[in-house]
Amino acid sequence: LGEFKAPRDARVDARGRVFVSDADNHRIQVFSPEGRLLQLFGQKGSGRGELLRAHALDFDQRQRLYVADVDNSRIAVFSHSGKFLFAWGKDGRQPGQFHAPHGIGVDPNGDVIVSTYYGPCQKFTPKGEFLFDFAPAQPPDGPIHFHSMAVDRWGNVYLAARDRLQRGRIVKYNNNGDFIASWRLSAEDMVVEAVTIDARGTVFAAYRGPGRMGVEVYAPR
């Protein structure tokens, strides 16, 4: 307990507790602000409340936890105490279906945005009802993989994208799914592993490249 195998994401709830997706252990671990293990929930499987490689996490305004359950091709929803509530989605390429969901974010309206590794993004109501999709993959020179994503306080969506040569970039869409901007990292051999945005709109991109890793910071744009 308190050990990880391929942790993928972490989110802090309204009480300051830290929730971590422990992907290859197929569970969520919960810690105090000081790092003391408080709770864990989820186990390997495809049943109710079970997970197969949990990836991205996010809370809604009611402090429900949304989990991108990658290998089950679904979104799982848990209460603030870790009780399984419901899930939606299955493997496929049609609206409401997922092909390796990796990123998740809840916008200011409570709607849920999900990015799949192979594109596109999809937007849902808090109950999992499909609204629309956007951000398709754009081969051969545009993004073809979306590893993670984040939503800012205005509802804009930031995708950690990769092209066919594994060059990293960040792609920004507004809350209606309209393209806004796209930019590469300072070195072409780096990929973006995660992206987050603070309350002022500053963008933080965690990257890795040959023999190095770090964070690049971008002013609001």
Side-chain angles (χ1 to χ4, degrees), residues 48-112:
R48 290 174 55 85
E50 296 178 336
L51 302 166
L52 284 179
R53 200 157 59 96
H55 206 274
L57 309 173
D58 205 6
F59 288 100
D60 68 7
Q61 293 85 343
R62 297 168 57 185
Q63 291 295 284
R64 296 182 300 187
L65 180 68
Y66 290 77
V67 181
D69 188 2
V70 178
D71 291 336
N72 279 321
S73 297
R74 67 189 182 191
I75 303 303
V77 186
F78 297 85
S79 73
H80 189 243
S81 62
K83 178 184 177 182
F84 174 74
L85 298 176
F86 62 95
W88 79 85
K90 63 180 182 179
D91 184 58
R93 310 297 185 269
Q94 300 302 312
Q97 300 176 348
F98 301 115
H99 189 25
H102 270 57
I104 197 165
V106 180
D107 75 8
N109 299 318
D111 293 328
V112 181

